Amino acid sequence: MLKVGLTGGIGAGKSEVSRRLVAYGAVLIDSDRIAREVVEPGTPGLAAVVEEFGPDVLTADGTLNRPALGAIVFADPDRRAALNAIVHPLVGARAAELEREAGADAVVVHDVPLLAENALAPFYDLVVVVDASPETQLDRLVNVRGMTESDARARMAAQATREERLAVADLTVDNDGPLEALEPQVRGVWEELLRRAAATTR
């Protein structure tokens, strides 16, 4: 098994790269998706979040009010750390379970938005960083995702810098340009992952 950490700043296009790697045959473990699962209604994770942040982070139907929680944690690093202390161990346990199910010869791509922030690079055989300039990130967040500029800047500021992400990269995908420039790079990354996976089984 080859364990790959895939990361990139918000708006860099990491999800598009992961989708294309799956099309080539990668097994994707999506930390964001797992993070949503572990705080669904009835889970110990949601109970712990409500205990820490109070009932105002719930909607009327008992689900997590993500905008309300986001407004708290993105404005306060200490509150963000408190949330991470609840969610990250649950995500890690579920990711490990999915990894075991993938099979010994799989190329397993862990989509981890906060890989650089949480110093997780040593846990993977290699790290792929999807890179885009802060200007490109901001443009996509505002004009594609519909965020306000202040919200987009706050989300970006809560993440590692571009330089910090690139410092942990073994392979880099430049996604500053148009989509058609992405495919040849992803294909090259996949070929390199297959080469490294083969080398680990020899």
Side-chain angles (χ1 to χ4, degrees), residues 52-69:
E52 175 69 34
F53 293 93
D56 288 346
V57 297
L58 291 178
T59 63
D61 64 0
T63 58
L64 185 62
N65 186 333
R66 294 181 185 283
L69 182 60

Side-chain angles (χ1 to χ4, degrees), residues 2-49:
L2 187 72
K3 294 190 282 187
V4 181
L6 176 69
T7 195
I10 185 171
K14 177 173 50 61
S15 296
E16 181 65 26
V17 171
S18 67
R19 186 183 68 77
R20 292 171 187 241
L21 288 171
V22 167
Y24 279 118
V27 174
L28 179 66
I29 297 178
D30 185 334
S31 292
D32 270 353
R33 183 177 302 163
I34 298 172
R36 290 190 291 272
E37 291 174 1
V38 299
V39 291
E40 286 178 348
T43 60
L46 183 59
V49 170

Side-chain angles (χ1 to χ4, degrees), residues 135-188:
E135 295 78 15
T136 297
Q137 290 177 259
L138 184 63
D139 179 68
R140 289 172 179 160
L141 294 175
V142 172
N143 295 314
V144 178
R145 296 200 195 177
M147 287 186 185
T148 64
E149 183 171 335
S150 60
D151 189 22
R153 288 187 183 279
R155 299 293 176 111
M156 291 169 62
Q159 295 188 334
T161 64
R162 184 184 193 184
E163 291 72 26
E164 287 166 340
R165 277 190 297 273
L166 290 174
V168 300
D170 296 293
L171 300 172
T172 305
V173 176
D174 178 1
N175 195 27
D176 227 17
L179 266 182
E180 54 265 27
L182 193 59
E183 181 56 31
Q185 294 187 77
V186 176
R187 185 170 61 248

Side-chain angles (χ1 to χ4, degrees), residues 100-113:
R100 288 192 295 271
E101 295 170 2
D105 60 348
V107 174
V108 179
V109 174
H110 290 261
D111 183 330
V112 187

